[in-house]
Amino acid sequence: MVLSTIKWSIEDYHQIIKTGLLDDRPVELLAGEIVKMSPEGEPHAFFSSETGAYLTRVLGDRAFVRPAKPITLPNQSEPEPDLAIVQPLGREYLSHHPYPENIFWVIEYANTSLEKDSTVKYHIYAQAGIPEYWLVNLQTAELIVYRQPRGRDYGSKMTLKEGEISPLAFPDVTIPIQAIISA
């Protein structure tokens, strides 16, 4: 649900946040629009938390797993993916959220948000050049992996229910699909 028909810049969005007008309102900036985020049900919260902890253990110091925190994209978007796997830049993130060049991949868990995550966020992530987008469809227990961003789309799509996957950024790391879709 879009809260305003005005197109906002990231700077304007940050100013609105500083005023407190959006306190206690789960929103994110998508393509210049302030959009209400879907409530997080128990399966969504469980799987994203468990996967975040698992990836933190597996990746160690090589990456930082940010759960439900903003990333800043050049297309007037500041989404809050369920998990963003980013460069471990430490205190640099005091002055900015991760930019596309800091992001290895993002993961969204979707049940009620499936339509938005598979269309709006899909296009935003591709357009920003996020190299890899993992969408977990909680309705079908599938991991959909998008790779090779090209404009507003991804050139590659894989739908997985079993087996293993290696993230593009860490080809030496093997992750069981079950660790992502059934924690």
Side-chain angles (χ1 to χ4, degrees):
M1 172 179 160
V2 176
L3 297 182
S4 171
T5 57
I6 298 171
K7 291 287 186 176
W8 299 96
S9 70
I10 289 174
E11 295 77 20
D12 291 338
Y13 180 64
H14 288 182
Q15 289 301 320
I16 294 169
I17 290 170
K18 287 178 185 174
T19 67
L21 288 173
L22 298 176
D23 287 356
D24 301 322
R25 296 180 103 181
V27 297
E28 57 191 343
L29 184 67
L30 301 177
E33 295 179 338
I34 299 174
V35 178
K36 184 176 181 190
M37 296 184 340
S38 300
E40 193 173 77
E42 289 84 357
H44 184 277
F46 174 80
F47 289 124
S48 62
S49 294
E50 291 295 311
T51 298
Y54 173 79
L55 290 174
T56 297
R57 287 190 308 274
V58 169
L59 297 171
D61 293 340
R62 299 167 74 180
F64 181 52
V65 180
R66 287 175 51 107
K69 301 293 182 214
I71 58 176
T72 300
L73 307 179
N75 49 17
Q76 299 307 318
S77 297
E78 205 160 83
E80 296 184 18
D82 292 313
L83 298 168
I85 298 78
V86 302
Q87 294 172 339
L89 300 180
R91 297 183 66 81
E92 185 172 325
Y93 293 131
L94 281 171
S95 62
H96 67 86
H97 298 306
Y99 299 135
E101 61 269 20
N102 307 128
I103 301 168
F104 296 120
W105 83 95
V106 296
I107 302 174
E108 295 281 6
Y109 280 82
N111 189 8
T112 59
S113 65
L114 185 59
E115 175 68 24
K116 178 175 71 172
D117 292 343
S118 63
T119 58
V120 176
K121 284 193 170 181
Y122 164 90
H123 292 300
I124 286 170
Y125 293 148
Q127 186 179 38
I130 304 297
E132 194 162 9
Y133 171 33
W134 293 8
L135 175 59
V136 179
N137 182 336
L138 292 171
Q139 297 171 11
T140 59
E142 295 176 323
L143 170 62
I144 305 163
V145 177
Y146 300 103
R147 293 177 168 169
Q148 302 167 349
R150 295 183 181 146
R152 293 190 43 181
D153 292 302
Y154 282 92
S156 168
K157 175 185 176 184
M158 294 182 287
T159 303
L160 308 165
K161 283 186 166 258
E162 56 187 31
E164 298 175 331
I165 188 166
S166 293
L168 292 174
F170 305 103
D172 60 315
V173 174
T174 303
I175 300 170
I177 301 305
Q178 292 302 307
I180 305 298
I181 63 174
S182 68

